[in-house]
Amino acid sequence: MECRINDVLVHYVEHGVGVPLVALHGAGVDHREIEAAIEAIVPDTRYRRIYPDLPGMGLSTAGGLNCNDDVVTLLGDFIDHLDAGPVMLLGHSYGAYLARGVAAQRPDIVLGMALLCPIAGQARSVPDLEVVRQDADAYDELEPAQRTGFDDYFVLRTRATARRYRDSVAPGTALVDEAALGRIFAGWTIDVGSTVFSAPTLVVAGRRDSVVGYADAAELLEHYPHATLTVIDDAGHALMHERPELLAALFGDWLDRARPEDG
């Protein structure tokens, strides 16, 4: 599916009916990564799951966007376009940063927010890459050219995580408009507001996350007084692929807290 918002063509996929859940992927991939992770853990009824390609990634364009705040405004307009009322909003990494901006600028359209491996304005404390598990047959699922990207992302290296990388992460890396992202990321800082966001919130970080770390996630509690914070040991930036069973329990609790009573 696709819609045009000003100069931007937004491509997205959706599944199901019910309470709308909009999930935002990270930088350098497309909707398929977060779609694969969330579809594996979300209840298959009662939720309308919507997965857009962020501007300059996947099949979405980025015309007229010059900074991340422009992307936040676009996402607010996209949610309005869905004509579904307030949504439950989820983001991974860069997508979590954008979600925070949407919640700050348009709190009226956000029922609750889930932030997975959230990146902030600038990560300050990032651990070195530490491999937690390395199965001998993990690379059997990958082409040689995919191994470096897999190693840079995953700290749990198994055949299962390799398949997830091959099928849902790697394909999107070839569809990035580098010039557009360079232009947008030059205006990196997002206005996340100075007031608290009081809707139910979930913050999940990986203790072995060598991309954005986990320490900054704890500071988000000051802005989200109804947040559950979990730091998962033996998981990195790809925690939604590495520890799906644990994430499912946390995600289910958040859905219960954020879901409207009549939804």
Side-chain angles (χ1 to χ4, degrees):
M1 303 177 71
E2 62 185 30
C3 66
R4 181 166 292 278
I5 299 174
N6 298 322
D7 295 329
V8 179
L9 183 69
V10 180
H11 172 262
Y12 63 101
V13 300
E14 65 173 80
H15 310 285
V17 296
V19 178
L21 170 65
V22 175
L24 309 177
H25 61 79
V29 293
D30 65 15
H31 75 275
R32 284 173 286 188
E33 177 178 12
I34 200 163
E35 178 189 22
I38 300 306
E39 288 299 301
I41 64 174
V42 72
D44 59 5
T45 59
R46 304 190 301 165
Y47 295 96
R48 177 188 176 192
R49 292 96 63 199
I50 301 151
Y51 304 97
D53 285 336
L54 292 174
M57 291 172 271
L59 300 180
S60 291
T61 63
L65 303 179
N66 296 303
C67 62
N68 276 330
D69 271 334
D70 287 348
V71 179
V72 169
T73 299
L74 173 81
L75 290 171
D77 292 341
F78 171 71
I79 292 171
D80 288 340
H81 167 81
L82 296 174
D83 194 27
V87 305
M88 302 172 77
L89 187 60
L90 177 147
H92 173 250
S93 188
Y94 171 60
Y97 193 31
L98 294 172
R100 291 181 62 205
V102 173
Q105 297 180 30
R106 296 288 308 278
D108 58 303
I109 61 173
V110 182
L111 291 167
M113 183 167 55
L115 308 173
L116 309 181
C117 303
I119 191 169
Q122 184 176 1
R124 293 176 297 167
S125 180
V126 179
D128 294 333
L129 178 64
E130 178 183 352
V131 178
V132 172
R133 175 176 170 180
Q134 177 79 61
D135 288 358
D137 60 352
Y139 299 124
D140 292 352
E141 304 291 334
L142 301 174
E143 296 295 331
Q146 297 173 331
R147 293 177 183 176
T148 298
F150 175 66
D151 283 350
D152 288 344
Y153 192 18
F154 284 79
V155 299
L156 287 179
R157 300 172 184 171
T158 68
R159 293 190 72 161
T161 58
R163 284 194 297 271
R164 180 64 65 82
Y165 179 81
R166 179 195 66 198
D167 296 341
S168 303
V169 181
T173 63
L175 299 176
V176 175
D177 184 339
E178 298 287 357
L181 290 194
R183 183 180 71 247
I184 292 169
F185 289 178
W188 177 258
T189 302
I190 291 174
D191 179 7
V192 294
S194 57
T195 59
V196 299
F197 176 74
S198 59
T201 302
L202 172 66
V203 182
V204 186
R207 191 172 181 88
R208 314 299 173 185
D209 189 333
S210 62
V211 178
V212 303
Y214 67 90
D216 291 340
E219 296 187 4
L220 296 179
L221 295 182
E222 297 179 9
H223 301 281
Y224 307 109
H226 295 285
T228 293
L229 168 67
T230 300
V231 178
I232 301 178
D233 194 21
D234 291 347
H237 201 57
L239 71 80
M240 60 183 178
H241 308 301
E242 295 171 332
R243 300 297 302 275
E245 298 85 358
L246 181 52
L247 181 59
L250 297 167
F251 191 68
D253 173 74
W254 172 69
L255 291 177
D256 290 341
R257 291 190 294 125
R259 181 184 175 86
E261 293 183 1
D262 58 350

